[in-house]
Amino acid sequence: MVKLGLRTPQDFILHLPLRYEDETQVTPVARLVPGRWAQIEGEVVRCEVQSRPRRQLVATVADDTGEIGLRFLTFYPSHQRQLATGNRVRVRGEPRGGLFGLEMVHPRLGSANVALPDTLTPVYPITQGLSQSVLRRAVVQAMGDVPWQDTLPHEVRERFALEEFDEAIRALHYPTRASLPSLQSREHAAWRRVKFDELLAQQLSLAVARAARRRRSAPVMPAHTGQDCLAARLQASLPFALSGAQRRVVGEIAGDMARPYPMQRLLQGDVGSGKTVVAALAAAQAVDNGYQAALMAPTELLAEQHLRKFTGWFEPLGIRIAWLSGSVGAKARREALAAIASGEAALAVGTQALIQEHVHFHRLGLALTDEQHRFGVGQRLALRQKGAEAAQGGGVHQLMMSATPIPRTLAMTVFADLDVSEIDELPPGRTPIVTKLVDDVRRDEVIERIHAAVADGRQAYWVCPLVEESEALELQTAVDTFERLRVALPGVRVGLVHGKLAPADKAQVMRGFQEGSVDLLVATTVIEVGVDVPNASLMVVEHAERFGLAQLHQLRGRVGRGTAESVCVLMYQTPLSRVAKARLRTLHESTDGFLIAERDLELRGPGEFLGVRQSGEALLRFADLQDDAGLAEEARQAAAWMLQSHRPAVREHLARWLRGREDFLKA
Ligand code: ADP
Ligand code: MG
């Protein structure tokens, strides 16, 4: 039961049935329908252990209307006792047509001497090793005889027309026969109450987390205004002007960093929208205030690219950057650690290596994470821990970047306490990417297209199919594709990157592509995030139907970064499923990451959309943010009200619903 997260009585009462069995009625044997679960009652007229074709217990039970056979392939003495000839028994199971009339295989047996229940019998979600009957008893016990206390004040229940908590959970565990249809469609008042409570808990916990954050301290790092501050010099040295959207989010971030409590901000922006420079300007603001900034990326490849960008921007301005990743040698690592600890390196860039135990910052003020959804809650907490340690117990400002936009409504409701900034326009001068859907049978034309692009001095990506079942197979496919394309494209310099390549080798191929000594980069999805090669203007994705919408959009974002007209060719193999078709059509029609995210959400639902990691799946078990949007809004109002004038109820409500997952709220 612990496996199911069931520990306290509160947990049991909120472990709601999947469905119900109707044991309130007895069906006459003559009225049984094969395949339809039923309960019968009758007298045992025969019972014997047969040994052929295998050892089994076979009995016959009769009522006034007919007879039915029972068969147990495994059985215990208790079965034989219950089925002694002449006993009256109750039998529940699914009848089916056997060789000699109807029979039930492994039905459940009960005594006919107890009164029939007047409510339906719950069937709970269980795991292996746990039986329904054990769980049912545990729930009955947890439910107790006295009503469960209602955590909602009377006024709140009244205003939002909610039934009482105890009434609701009893109706859900032990419903009457008549309430079954509205329970199944989840329209029953009891469902409404439980979903409301869950949504309310979520709103309350967010508010509580936000209030707690405001009580923590963080370095006050206001934007400097002089022309000679680092942020101003950096901006002046950029070869481009910031877009309007970039200026806006830079302002939002600068405002947060000037506050005495930790910023916790998500920076969303489509691939290529220019998040990196926004991060760099935030870092410069930290440095201007005498603090360090750290930028962490989920992969070596991406971290390296950030290092290159940051080095290009900051080193001419006299700022030292420390580099930490898994592939850094012992000596270089020692030096980096020393520079981070002494503060000599104002900036640190790297992978998860940045948050290992032996990394000590001199004065960390700002933690930046790229592609934050790739990091788990634990890693985000660890990064924050680093800051706390450097700030002697205070907090650190956090900016998380994501190119997988999460619709704002979802970000606000599902995420822990986060503010959201969006870069909703691409830098000027980009030519829109044209997306073509091409049947795999026209592969030759696609290869010809590559040929033409390369002859024109451009570069191209070829993304190999995702093979979900096997990494080895995926690798093999990539190697085969690489070989075949080399043969098909003489004179084209082809490179290959995949997940199994040693980091140094991968970096070498990537460098080649970046510098232009590789024309065509054949890759598995390792190029998914962040790679920035403006001269690449053609992207081919093989078996595009196997990829998710967000992933394809990410991949496509690798091109269209320069001024040349870019094309993304999505090759597919027929037949296509309905969802695959919808995905490809969406990509064909739109390049707007936010719109695509909305479509993705529709196609997949919020749970899958966010992935278990950050959906805090268990936070919402009953309510659905889309279906129950109206209820969510009511819960938001109720939360504000309760926080204002019903504080003790807030605590009680959270204690009931949070069940030890407070940690999630912090990350
Ligand atoms: P992403 O948001 O996907 O991380 P990047 O930060 O890698 O995007 O930016 C993509 C490219 O656009 C980079 O080469 C970057 O230097 C460039 N860039 C960023 N902002 C602007 C701008 N305002 N004008 C022109 N180019 C820009
Ligand atoms: Mg990026």
Side-chain angles (χ1 to χ4, degrees):
M1 293 198 244
V2 168
K3 227 197 223 161
L4 288 171
L6 303 176
R7 290 179 196 88
T8 67
Q10 310 251 14
D11 298 341
F12 282 100
I13 60 165
L14 292 174
H15 190 66
L16 297 180
L18 283 174
R19 57 186 180 84
Y20 307 91
E21 282 172 356
D22 187 357
E23 296 176 6
T24 65
Q25 315 275 313
V26 166
T27 308
V29 169
R31 298 248 295 274
L32 289 175
V33 179
R36 185 179 302 166
W37 188 95
Q39 170 170 261
I40 56 167
E41 193 173 304
E43 188 181 317
V44 181
V45 292
R46 258 185 309 276
C47 181
E48 58 176 8
V49 175
Q50 292 181 352
S51 51
R52 242 163 273 220
R54 50 172 291 185
R55 196 176 138 79
Q56 53 185 306
L57 183 67
V58 177
T60 305
V61 170
D63 68 6
D64 296 343
T65 67
E67 292 191 349
I68 182 169
L70 310 183
R71 184 189 304 274
F72 295 86
L73 299 172
T74 50
F75 57 94
Y76 302 97
S78 61
H79 284 112
Q80 282 162 285
R81 260 195 314 277
Q82 278 177 298
L83 291 171
T85 311
N87 275 3
R88 284 193 65 78
V89 287
R90 237 171 244 157
V91 184
R92 302 161 196 131
E94 204 172 279
R96 54 183 211 195
L99 213 46
F100 309 101
L102 278 184
E103 68 169 8
M104 285 185 187
V105 178
H106 285 260
R108 277 192 298 128
L109 300 175
S111 165
N113 296 326
V114 288
L116 285 170
D118 44 22
T119 58
L120 304 182
T121 307
V123 179
Y124 294 108
I126 48 172
T127 52
Q128 215 178 4
L130 179 63
S131 74
Q132 284 294 341
S133 53
V134 169
L135 193 52
R136 277 175 192 156
R137 269 198 299 278
V139 173
V140 167
Q141 205 178 16
M143 204 65 99
D145 299 324
V146 281
W148 272 82
Q149 182 221 344
D150 207 308
T151 52
L152 296 192
H154 185 71
E155 297 97 295
V156 174
R157 281 206 312 271
E158 196 123 278
R159 159 125 161 239
F160 296 101
L162 296 162
E163 72 172 16
E164 282 179 34
F165 179 74
D166 189 74
E167 208 179 307
I169 50 169
R170 279 179 210 276
L172 286 166
H173 285 286
Y174 313 115
T176 59
R177 207 177 141 77
S179 61
L180 193 59
S182 62
L183 279 176
Q184 278 168 338
S185 64
R186 296 214 165 186
E187 277 156 10
H188 195 280
W191 266 122
R192 192 176 124 80
R193 170 65 205 257
V194 166
K195 288 179 185 178
F196 183 91
D197 274 23
E198 183 175 54
L199 291 163
L200 176 67
Q202 190 188 37
Q203 291 296 330
L204 290 173
S205 56
L206 278 177
V208 167
R210 187 161 301 145
R213 170 154 67 97
R214 308 234 149 142
R215 284 195 300 275
R216 293 207 320 267
S217 69
V220 176
M221 311 190 291
H224 288 203
T225 47
Q227 282 310 300
D228 49 352
C229 73
L230 183 61
R233 286 193 292 143
L234 172 60
Q235 200 164 329
S237 73
L238 293 173
F240 49 77
L242 295 185
S243 67
Q246 282 171 318
R247 272 202 306 279
R248 176 170 44 76
V249 303
V250 164
E252 287 165 0
I253 294 162
D256 278 5
M257 288 171 63
R259 301 216 167 86
Y261 55 84
M263 159 168 78
Q264 218 154 279
R265 190 169 278 281
L266 178 66
L267 172 57
Q268 302 204 87
D270 226 335
V271 278
S273 61
K275 294 183 290 296
T276 320
V277 70
V278 171
L281 286 166
Q285 186 173 330
V287 175
D288 274 330
N289 284 280
Y291 284 90
Q292 290 169 297
L295 169 56
M296 181 165 86
T299 65
E300 182 102 17
L301 207 66
L302 191 52
E304 245 177 59
Q305 190 172 282
H306 285 318
L307 177 67
R308 237 185 329 269
K309 275 245 163 77
F310 269 43
T311 306
W313 286 330
F314 284 107
E315 275 196 352
L317 304 176
I319 299 298
R320 168 138 181 223
I321 302 172
W323 164 243
L324 270 187
S325 82
S327 64
V328 170
K331 179 159 172 288
R333 166 186 224 80
R334 259 198 313 280
E335 283 170 11
L337 288 175
I340 290 173
S342 70
E344 206 182 314
L347 302 177
V349 176
T351 58
Q352 284 92 318
L354 278 176
I355 50 172
Q356 276 157 11
E357 239 172 84
H358 51 270
V359 185
H360 299 291
F361 284 88
H362 174 60
R363 239 184 145 203
L364 184 63
L366 173 67
L368 304 155
T369 39
D370 197 11
E371 301 302 331
Q372 65 88 31
H373 60 283
R374 294 275 197 109
F375 293 108
V377 169
Q379 286 166 317
R380 299 214 290 272
L381 283 174
L383 186 61
R384 187 148 109 203
Q385 201 53 44
K386 283 285 158 217
E389 176 192 300
Q392 269 110 43
V396 57
H397 295 285
Q398 270 189 297
L399 181 67
M400 295 154 258
M401 294 175 264
S402 174
T404 314
I406 291 147
R408 193 179 260 271
T409 48
L410 201 56
M412 301 302 241
T413 29
V414 177
F415 271 98
D417 165 32
L418 269 190
D419 297 307
V420 181
S421 286
E422 282 171 4
I423 306 185
D424 50 9
E425 76 182 290
L426 289 183
R430 302 271 170 86
T431 37
I433 305 167
V434 177
T435 302
K436 302 200 184 243
L437 307 180
V438 177
D439 191 317
D440 195 69
V441 298
R442 288 163 54 200
R443 170 178 293 255
D444 288 347
E445 291 169 39
V446 176
I447 290 175
E448 185 42 47
R449 210 177 245 286
I450 293 179
H451 194 86
V454 172
D456 209 27
R458 310 247 148 250
Q459 290 166 284
Y461 294 96
W462 185 291
V463 178
C464 298
L466 193 68
V467 185
E468 267 185 350
E469 311 80 55
S470 153
E471 235 180 291
L473 200 58
E474 185 165 306
L475 180 59
Q476 189 55 50
T477 315
V479 173
D480 289 348
T481 308
F482 169 68
E483 294 299 346
R484 242 179 275 130
L485 286 171
R486 270 218 302 203
V487 174
L489 290 164
V492 171
R493 294 162 301 176
V494 190
L496 171 67
V497 282
H498 54 73
K500 284 281 167 288
L501 221 50
D505 296 337
K506 203 190 295 173
Q508 198 189 340
V509 180
M510 287 312 299
R511 208 169 303 123
F513 191 59
Q514 221 131 25
E515 287 163 0
S517 59
V518 169
D519 303 311
L520 173 64
L521 186 66
V522 177
T524 53
T525 49
V526 295
I527 61 151
E528 184 189 335
V529 285
V531 176
D532 186 25
V533 179
N535 190 44
S537 63
L538 176 60
M539 159 75 55
V540 178
V541 183
E542 220 180 323
H543 274 295
E545 77 279 2
R546 294 187 192 168
F547 292 87
L549 199 43
Q551 206 174 11
L552 286 172
H553 179 60
Q554 285 274 316
L555 286 169
R556 179 170 61 179
R558 301 304 112 217
V559 294
R561 303 192 147 223
T563 44
E565 164 137 341
S566 293
V567 176
C568 174
V569 177
L570 300 178
M571 292 206 315
Y572 60 84
Q573 229 165 47
T574 50
L576 290 173
S577 72
R578 186 189 60 82
V579 174
K581 234 181 245 168
R583 279 201 298 257
L584 294 179
R585 197 175 315 122
T586 302
L587 284 159
H588 178 64
E589 287 164 4
S590 175
T591 52
D592 176 347
F594 288 95
L595 187 144
I596 288 171
E598 297 277 0
R599 286 289 292 140
D600 203 16
L601 180 62
E602 279 165 34
L603 289 172
R604 292 199 289 169
E608 217 188 310
F609 179 85
L610 291 163
V612 173
R613 250 198 206 157
Q614 49 176 205
S615 65
E617 24 90 60
L619 272 183
L620 283 186
R621 290 180 291 162
F622 308 125
D624 177 308
L625 284 173
Q626 284 195 297
D627 296 352
D628 303 316
L631 203 57
E633 175 51 31
E634 290 185 357
R636 215 182 47 73
Q637 291 169 19
W641 189 16
M642 282 173 71
L643 283 162
Q644 194 135 78
S645 39
H646 297 285
R647 299 296 295 205
V650 168
R651 215 166 354 221
E652 278 162 22
H653 192 75
L654 284 178
R656 175 169 291 165
W657 283 92
L658 230 47
R659 312 196 316 161
R661 279 166 313 205
E662 293 81 357
D663 233 28
F664 168 77
L665 289 165
K666 296 193 194 125

